[in-house]
């Protein structure tokens, strides 16, 4: 059973990180992203936004522009957790930029050649960033072009993401599928691998926004199709900010997918002018941060 047409918008991908200082340097000084907002939490998230941890944690959103128009990265930090076991579920992020490689060289950050075109930079926690040394298509275009996830059965993934979640196919080969909800959004690339898929402990989550009226029908469609619902529709509060409703799903390989209501999230995700300073403040006072 397919859901009604889903007017989705790609928002962000979540990385768990072990050292905020090293990541702040990599994402800001090497990739050239800006801190869009920083939030601190005293206990775990009801939707397991920080993973299966019930402790103090923080969320830092970084990107090349506001989340209203750009796909961004969410850096999730659990106080006291210094590293996570990496699996093979995450492929990488592709960025178009003529500046990243020169910045990496200036900071003596390792650059590897990618198979085919481009270069590879690996974040402090092991996440791959594929840099294509060319400018974005226009001045307002998002340099972040796609996020790649690995899957075990491309046909099953195609059925789930296209038929059930109603994403549009941009391109398809025997091993890959490129999907989008439309417009100039960053795309989702699914790549079939031959090894057994292992999400380990560092697994992430991809997020999309949909109008709140579309959340219940989507929930019912996934339920009717026998899909995995990790968290039924719940509301989440962020101190001093808008409340949002979220639906957390898992695809056939267990990749986590968050559908958040567009109305609440557009208010929650406003850029904070002091986000950069707040991140640096909490890094400096972090008892678990290497000095």
């Amino acid at each position: 059973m397919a859901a009604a047409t889903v007017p989705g918008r790609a928002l962000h991908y979540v990385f768990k990180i072990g050292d905020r200082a090293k990541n702040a340097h990599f994402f800001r000084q090497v990739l050239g992203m800006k801190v869009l907002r920083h939030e601190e939490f005293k206990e775990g998230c009801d939707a397991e936004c920080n993973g299966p941890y019930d402790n103090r944690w923080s969320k830092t959103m970084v990107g090349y522009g506001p989340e209203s128009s750009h796909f961004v990265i969410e850096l999730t930090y659990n106080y006291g957790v210094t590293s996570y076991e990496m699996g093979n579920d995450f492929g990488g992020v592709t960025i178009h930029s003529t500046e990243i490689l020169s910045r990496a060289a200036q900071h003596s950050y390792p650059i590897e050649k990618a198979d085919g075109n481009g270069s590879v930079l690996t974040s402090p926690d092991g996440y791959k960033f594929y840099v294509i040394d060319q400018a974005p298509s226009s001045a307002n275009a998002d340099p972040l072009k796609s996020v790649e996830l690995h899957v075990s059965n491309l046909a099953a993934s195609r059925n789930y993401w296209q038929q059930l979640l109603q994403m549009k196919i941009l391109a398809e080969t025997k091993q890959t599928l490129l999907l989008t909800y439309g417009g100039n959004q960053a795309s989702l690339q699914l790549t079939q691998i031959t090894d057994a898929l292992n999400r380990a402990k560092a697994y992430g989550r991809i997020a999309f926004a949909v109008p709140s009226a579309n959340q219940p029908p989507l929930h019912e469609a996934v339920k009717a199709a026998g899909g995995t619902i990790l968290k039924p529709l719940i509301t989440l509060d962020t101190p001093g900010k808008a409340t949002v409703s979220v639906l957390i799903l898992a695809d056939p390989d267990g990749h986590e997918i968050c559908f958040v209501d567009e109305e609440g999230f557009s208010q929650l995700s406003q850029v904070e002018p002091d986000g950069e300073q707040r991140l640096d403040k909490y890094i400096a006072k972090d008892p678990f941060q290497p000095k």
Side-chain angles (χ1 to χ4, degrees):
M1 177 180 177
T5 301
V6 177
R9 182 168 66 88
L11 297 176
H12 60 257
Y13 191 81
V14 180
F15 291 132
K16 298 189 189 78
I17 61 169
D19 187 318
R20 282 190 298 190
K22 287 183 178 179
N23 279 278
H25 173 78
F26 174 74
F27 283 94
R28 291 188 293 188
Q29 305 305 322
V30 178
L31 293 186
M33 294 184 179
K34 303 295 184 184
V35 174
L36 305 173
R37 66 183 194 275
H38 178 80
E39 298 162 357
E40 294 277 333
F41 302 88
K42 295 181 179 179
E43 56 188 18
C45 170
D46 288 341
E48 295 191 359
C49 306
N50 62 318
Y53 304 91
D54 187 17
N55 49 246
R56 183 182 173 191
W57 64 288
S58 76
K59 173 196 300 183
T60 307
M61 311 303 291
V62 296
Y64 295 108
E67 205 165 355
S68 58
S69 58
H70 291 65
F71 189 88
V72 308
I73 301 297
E74 177 177 322
L75 303 177
T76 294
Y77 172 71
N78 286 292
Y79 281 80
V81 182
T82 58
S83 65
Y84 299 88
E85 176 195 357
M86 291 288 292
N88 62 356
D89 57 328
F90 181 75
V93 172
T94 296
I95 302 173
H96 287 189
S97 171
T98 57
E99 301 172 354
I100 289 176
L101 298 182
S102 60
R103 279 196 300 263
Q106 290 169 9
H107 291 281
S108 300
Y109 203 91
I111 303 172
E112 303 172 35
K113 292 303 294 181
D115 293 335
N117 295 328
S119 303
V120 183
L121 276 67
T122 303
S123 81
D125 292 276
Y127 305 111
K128 302 291 185 183
F129 288 81
Y130 296 93
V131 179
I132 308 300
D133 194 20
Q134 67 183 51
S137 56
S138 69
N140 295 324
D142 189 352
L144 199 158
K145 297 301 178 183
S146 65
V147 174
E148 179 189 20
L149 301 179
H150 291 156
V151 300
S152 61
N153 184 319
L154 195 62
S157 295
R158 187 186 199 276
N159 183 66
Y160 183 88
W161 290 89
Q162 183 201 22
Q163 299 299 321
L164 189 58
L165 300 190
Q166 296 289 295
M167 294 193 80
K168 302 175 181 67
I169 295 178
L170 292 175
E172 185 174 8
T173 70
K174 290 183 178 180
Q175 282 80 37
T176 66
L177 193 63
L178 197 65
L179 300 139
T180 182
Y181 273 122
N184 296 317
Q185 302 176 31
S187 55
L188 171 64
Q189 178 175 320
L190 304 178
T191 301
Q192 182 168 307
I193 60 174
T194 54
D195 295 337
L197 198 76
N198 176 21
R199 297 178 65 241
K201 300 292 186 182
Y203 62 86
R205 175 182 289 178
I206 192 165
F208 301 93
V210 295
S212 58
N214 289 81
Q215 288 177 306
L218 178 60
H219 177 259
E220 291 305 315
V222 173
K223 182 179 178 181
T228 300
I229 299 173
L230 297 176
K231 295 288 181 181
L233 267 173
I234 60 172
T235 57
L236 296 179
D237 295 320
T238 299
K241 295 187 177 182
T243 296
V244 297
S245 59
V246 300
L247 171 65
I248 311 295
L249 309 174
D251 82 346
D253 287 296
H255 291 295
E256 295 189 3
I257 311 150
C258 174
F259 283 96
V260 63
D261 72 295
E262 180 73 73
E263 297 88 340
F265 191 78
S266 61
Q267 298 179 50
L268 173 68
S269 60
Q270 295 293 314
V271 175
E272 296 175 338
D274 63 342
E276 196 111 19
Q277 291 74 24
R278 295 181 66 248
L279 170 62
D280 289 335
K281 180 183 77 172
Y282 282 101
I283 289 175
K285 62 192 292 189
D286 186 351
F288 301 100
Q289 183 71 55
K291 305 300 181 185

